[in-house]
Amino acid sequence: MSSTRPSPALCESPAHTVLQDVFGYEQFRGPQQAIVEHVIGGGDALVLMPTGGGKSLCYQVPAIVRQQQGRGVTIVISPLIALMHDQVGALHEAGVEAAFLNSTLSYDEAQDVELRLQTGAITLLYAAPERLNTPRFLGLLDDLYQQGVLSLFAIDEAHCVSQWGHDFRPEYRALTVLHQRYAGVPRIALTATADDLTRADIIERLQLEDARLFISSFDRPNIRYHIEEKKDVTTQLLRFIEREHAGEAGVVYCQSRKRVEELAATLCDAGLTALPYHAGLDTKVRQHNQDRFLREEGIVMVATIAFGMGIDKPDVRFVAHVDMPKNIEGYYQETGRAGRDGLNADAWMAYGLNDVVNQRRMIDESPAGEEFKQALRGKLDALLALAEATDCRRVRLLAYFGERSTPCGNCDNCISPPAVWDGTDAARKLLSTIYRVHAASGLTFGTGHIMDIVRGKDTEKVQQFGHDKLSTFGVGRDYSEAQLRGVLRQLLATGAVGLHKVMLESGHSFDTLSLTEGSRPVLKGEMPVQLRESTASTTPKRTRTRKSTGSAPPAAAANLGPDAQARFINLKSWRAEVAREHNLPAYVIFHDATLAAIAERNPATLDDLQGISGMGAKKLDAYGAEVLRVCAQ
Ligand code: ADP
Ligand code: ZN
C-alpha cells in the first residue's frame, strides 16, 4: 500500500476499497459513506444532496460492492436519456460493466444488452422510466428477480415524480411497480430538489415511507455569488466573462427563446464560442449543441431553463443569469451547475426593475388560482430580497432552505460590503405621486411617468395631463433616475406598490403602478426603506490573480508553476485526443483537477501516479504509461 493512502482502518471496508480502486478517490464526501453503507446493507434511502454533491457515487459504489457479493445487477432509472451514453462511458473508463436501455438503441443493440443482462455481465443498467411500462423489460426483471440477482434500484432525479417541480414526468408515477413487484430489493432515490413539499411528495408517490432520509447541507462553498443591477446587461456580461472566465465553459440563462438566440449571436460576435439551447430548437440541433458543450472546452451555452437537468459536466466555471429567475429554488438549481468539480466557480446575475415587472405580470396573467399566485409572488419576493440584500448572500440562500450559517467571505457582499442609502424619503415621494395622479384623474401610470413627475421633468405627457401642477412635481429633483428605479424595485418587491394592467384600444396593454395595503406604513414613514448603492460599476475584483490578456489559466491549474503549466497543457491536448477516439467528453477520461495534480507531481514512474485523485486502477492501467510519456515531453 502506498504512503498516500489514508489509515488502514478506513481501507478495510469494501466500499472504501471500491472508492479508491475504481474511482481513484481517497475519501467519501459528506454523507456519502453513511448512505453507501446503508444501501449496501440493503436499506432503502432517500438522498437530498445539492447538485455537485456527489450523488452518483451513492448508488454506484453500492452497485459494485453488491455485485461483488453476488447480488447481481443494479437498475438505474433516469429520465436523462441524452446523457446515458456518457454516464455509461464514464463507468467503462473506470472499468465497471455498465449499459443502458433506451429508445436510442437499435433492436440488435438492445438485444445484446438484454443478453448481457441475463448472463450477469452487467453491474449497472441505466434505463428510462418508460421502459417499466413495457412487458418485455418487466419480464427481464422478473427473471432476474426470481434468480435472486436483482440487486438494487436507483431512482435518479426523483423529484420528477412530483408535480411541484418543473420536471414532472408522468412515467415516474409508474415506479411504484418496483416496490410492489420486487419486494425486498432495496431502493435509493436521489434528488437535488430541497423543498419540503417536493420531498413529501417523493416519499408518498414512491412509497418510501420506510426509507432512511439523508439530507446534506445545501451549501456550495466553492461557488461565489454575485448579483448586480442591470444597466447594459450584454456589456456587463461580456465584461464579466472576459475578466473572469475567458476561455472557460459557462452557462448563461435567459428567460425567452428569442433572447437566447440574440445573446448567443452577440457573444459569438464578441469572439466567444457561444451556442443557443432552448426547447424550440430542432431536437438534432439541441442535441448537437449539448454534445459540443460537453465535449469541447470553453463553450458558453446560452439557454433557457430547458437546459441543464442532469448536465454533469464538472468544469462549468460560471453560471450567469441575464434575466431574473422565478424563485430561489430555480436560481439555486441553475447556479448549482457551476463548479461541480469543487474548484472555484461563479454564479453571476444581473437584474432590474423590468425583471420584477415582467415576473409579476406573468404571475398575474397565469390561469392559476389566487392562492397559488400568492405563493408564487411570495417566492418571487424572496428572490428579490436576495438580490437587494446588503448582507451575505449565502447566509440568506441557506436560510431559505432552512440552514443556519455565518457570513461566508465568498460572495460579493462579503468581499466588498455595499454602501447603503436611506431611500425612505424617496419612497414616500414616489408613493404620494402615485396617489395624487390617481386622485386627480382616476388614471394610473407607468414607472417612467411617475419618476418624471417626481424628478420634475417637463415632458409632453406631463403637459398633456397637467401633472406639473401636482404638489409632488419636482419634489425629488435631487434623486437620479437609477436611485428612483431602485426604490421602486424594492417597493414592488415588498408589495408596497402594486401593478395595475391598462388595456389600450390597440389591444396592447401596459403595466401601471398603484397603491396597496402595504403602501401605508411606508407613506407614514413607519417602515424605513434601505437600499444598496448601485453596484453595476463596482464589480468586486476577484482575489484570485488573473492575467488580463484574456488567456487566464483555468481554475484547476491556477496555482501551477510554469513547468507544471506546460505539462498541464500537454496533458489536456493528449486528453482531448483520447476523448475524441472514445467518443466521450474529456472530463470522463480525467478531470482538470486530476490533470493538474499529475502536472504538479511530474511523475517519472507508474508508482508516482498512485494516489492522485481521480486515478483509479483501470485508468492507471489504461493510461498510466501514456501519461508518463506526455509528462516527459
Ligand atoms: P451530483 O450528481 O450530486 O450533482 P456527481 O455525482 O456528478 O454529483 O458528482 C460531482 C463531481 O464530484 C463528480 O465529478 C464526481 O466525480 C466528484 N466526486 C463525487 N464524490 C467524490 C469524492 N468522494 N471524492 C472526489 N470527488 C468526488
Ligand atoms: Zn457571503
Side-chain angles (χ1 to χ4, degrees):
M1 192 176 296
S2 94
S3 58
T4 49
R5 298 287 193 210
S7 70
L10 282 178
C11 296
E12 277 160 17
S13 94
H16 263 104
T17 309
V18 166
L19 181 74
Q20 294 175 345
D21 288 354
V22 177
F23 296 97
Y25 296 142
E26 286 302 328
Q27 273 153 16
F28 284 113
R29 264 194 207 155
Q32 276 177 335
Q33 180 168 4
I35 297 165
V36 159
E37 275 166 9
H38 179 72
V39 175
I40 290 174
D44 289 344
L46 172 57
V47 173
L48 277 69
M49 209 183 251
T51 308
K55 284 185 286 298
S56 319
L57 286 188
C58 295
Y59 60 83
Q60 288 171 345
V61 171
I64 298 165
V65 172
R66 286 175 65 88
Q67 168 77 287
Q68 289 168 351
Q69 295 170 342
R71 294 177 194 272
V73 63
T74 289
I75 311 290
V76 185
I77 306 294
S78 164
L80 308 170
I81 292 179
L83 299 180
M84 285 183 189
H85 171 268
D86 291 351
Q87 287 171 328
V88 164
L91 286 166
H92 282 166
E93 288 293 324
V96 181
E97 289 300 332
F100 62 87
L101 273 179
N102 65 34
S103 51
T104 67
L105 291 186
S106 69
Y107 183 81
D108 285 349
E109 286 168 331
Q111 224 177 13
D112 181 54
V113 170
E114 289 173 9
L115 196 70
R116 284 167 59 210
L117 193 60
Q118 280 158 334
T119 56
I122 294 177
T123 303
L124 284 117
L125 178 77
Y126 286 73
E130 4 346 323
R131 288 270 143 179
L132 288 169
N133 292 327
T134 66
R136 187 181 178 101
F137 188 59
L138 287 176
L140 269 169
L141 294 187
D142 288 350
D143 285 349
L144 296 170
Y145 185 58
Q146 272 149 28
Q147 294 161 38
V149 287
L150 194 49
S151 165
L152 170 69
F153 290 111
I155 303 166
D156 207 2
E157 312 289 350
H159 61 279
C160 288
V161 78
S162 169
Q163 224 146 8
W164 290 105
H166 54 248
D167 298 325
F168 175 54
R169 311 269 168 135
E171 312 87 64
Y172 261 62
R173 293 280 162 91
L175 295 184
T176 45
V177 72
L178 303 178
H179 172 56
Q180 287 154 359
R181 195 163 169 138
Y182 308 112
V185 177
R187 293 174 303 154
I188 172 173
L190 311 103
T191 178
T193 304
D195 67 288
D196 297 348
L197 217 53
T198 314
R199 185 199 312 171
D201 221 18
I202 295 172
I203 292 174
E204 189 191 326
R205 297 279 176 187
L206 296 179
Q207 298 171 351
L208 282 167
E209 288 83 0
D210 297 330
R212 190 160 147 203
L213 193 57
F214 294 91
I215 304 178
S216 309
S217 164
F218 268 70
D219 188 19
R220 298 287 311 281
N222 61 316
I223 298 183
R224 168 176 310 184
Y225 299 96
H226 174 95
I227 304 180
E228 68 182 44
E229 211 177 296
K230 246 188 223 186
K231 300 222 163 117
D232 170 1
V233 71
T234 310
T235 309
Q236 287 169 275
L237 175 71
L238 273 169
R239 200 170 47 197
F240 161 70
I241 297 178
E242 276 159 12
R243 267 197 205 161
E244 310 283 353
H245 295 289
E248 296 180 342
V251 184
V252 179
Y253 281 107
C254 310
Q255 281 295 324
S256 74
R257 296 172 182 185
K258 182 160 161 267
R259 184 102 178 90
V260 164
E261 305 259 352
E262 288 167 359
L263 191 56
T266 309
L267 295 188
C268 285
D269 288 344
L272 300 174
T273 317
L275 298 172
Y277 189 104
H278 59 73
L281 287 173
D282 184 69
T283 318
K284 280 219 180 72
V285 176
R286 228 163 47 196
Q287 181 63 40
H288 178 72
N289 289 355
Q290 175 171 316
D291 276 352
R292 280 193 63 191
F293 178 73
L294 295 179
R295 281 168 169 65
E296 293 176 30
E297 294 202 35
I299 297 223
V300 176
M301 190 67 112
V302 186
T304 60
I305 53 167
F307 180 72
M309 188 178 49
I311 297 294
D312 49 8
K313 184 175 168 64
D315 55 356
V316 175
R317 296 269 66 87
F318 68 92
V319 168
H321 284 92
V322 293
D323 297 312
M324 209 175 58
K326 287 185 174 50
N327 51 43
I328 290 186
E329 286 89 341
Y331 172 76
Y332 206 63
Q333 200 165 53
E334 284 141 31
T335 55
R337 290 169 189 144
R340 292 171 91 141
D341 52 11
L343 303 173
N344 280 346
D346 278 298
W348 183 94
M349 177 164 88
Y351 82 113
L353 183 55
N354 273 344
D355 287 311
V356 185
V357 173
N358 285 341
Q359 294 281 10
R360 267 294 166 91
R361 193 189 38 228
M362 283 195 279
I363 296 172
D364 291 343
E365 286 175 357
S366 83
E370 193 45 41
E371 202 178 328
F372 193 66
K373 285 185 186 177
Q374 246 351 31
L376 294 183
R377 285 190 199 105
K379 284 178 180 255
L380 175 60
D381 291 350
L383 178 58
L384 277 165
L386 172 75
E388 298 279 346
T390 53
D391 51 1
C392 177
R393 310 268 192 204
R394 192 181 314 270
V395 166
R396 284 180 175 250
L397 278 168
L398 293 175
Y400 185 81
F401 296 114
E403 272 182 57
R404 269 145 60 104
S405 59
T406 51
C408 72
N410 194 28
C411 73
D412 52 356
N413 287 351
C414 281
I415 293 166
S416 61
V420 185
W421 67 284
D422 186 352
T424 313
D425 173 67
R428 294 174 69 185
K429 287 174 174 160
L430 283 162
L431 290 177
S432 46
T433 303
I434 295 169
Y435 171 74
R436 272 162 224 280
V437 292
H438 187 251
S441 59
L443 295 174
T444 53
F445 294 85
T447 52
H449 185 62
I450 297 293
M451 291 192 295
D452 284 347
I453 298 173
V454 173
R455 297 183 67 214
K457 282 172 74 177
D458 196 12
T459 66
E460 220 173 278
K461 202 165 181 177
V462 164
Q463 286 300 328
Q464 185 191 343
F465 290 96
H467 284 159
D468 49 346
K469 311 283 183 318
L470 292 175
S471 62
T472 56
F473 184 75
V475 289
R477 269 179 224 283
D478 295 342
Y479 295 114
S480 69
E481 190 186 317
Q483 284 178 312
L484 292 185
R485 270 183 182 277
V487 175
L488 271 179
R489 209 171 48 219
Q490 193 161 99
L491 292 177
L492 275 165
T494 54
V497 165
L499 286 179
H500 176 72
K501 181 177 295 303
V502 171
M503 293 296 291
L504 297 176
E505 277 172 21
S506 62
H508 289 93
S509 66
F510 65 99
D511 291 299
T512 63
L513 303 175
S514 61
L515 295 190
T516 66
E517 264 309 296
S519 311
R520 199 185 305 268
V522 181
L523 262 172
K524 284 183 165 168
E526 288 166 7
M527 200 163 91
V529 179
Q530 289 290 316
L531 288 124
R532 51 191 296 131
E533 296 272 12
S534 173
T535 52
S537 51
T538 57
T539 313
K541 285 297 286 173
R542 207 167 244 291
T543 41
R544 178 167 27 129
T545 46
R546 292 287 201 154
K547 286 185 217 142
S548 55
T549 54
S551 59
N559 299 322
L560 296 180
D563 286 357
Q565 198 68 250
R567 280 190 291 276
F568 179 70
I569 288 165
N570 288 342
L571 285 165
K572 273 177 77 163
S573 51
W574 164 79
R575 179 183 66 179
E577 270 171 48
V578 177
R580 245 193 317 277
E581 274 168 29
H582 295 205
N583 185 24
L584 285 171
Y587 61 80
V588 164
I589 310 298
F590 285 119
H591 283 186
D592 279 1
T594 304
L595 293 190
I598 297 172
E600 184 162 33
R601 193 173 287 186
N602 192 14
T605 66
L606 287 178
D607 248 8
D608 295 341
L609 287 171
Q610 294 272 0
I612 285 184
S613 181
M615 182 66 82
K618 168 82 192 296
K619 288 187 181 177
L620 184 61
D621 203 38
Y623 302 125
E626 277 292 282
V627 165
L628 294 181
R629 182 187 61 76
V630 175
C631 284
Q633 264 172 14

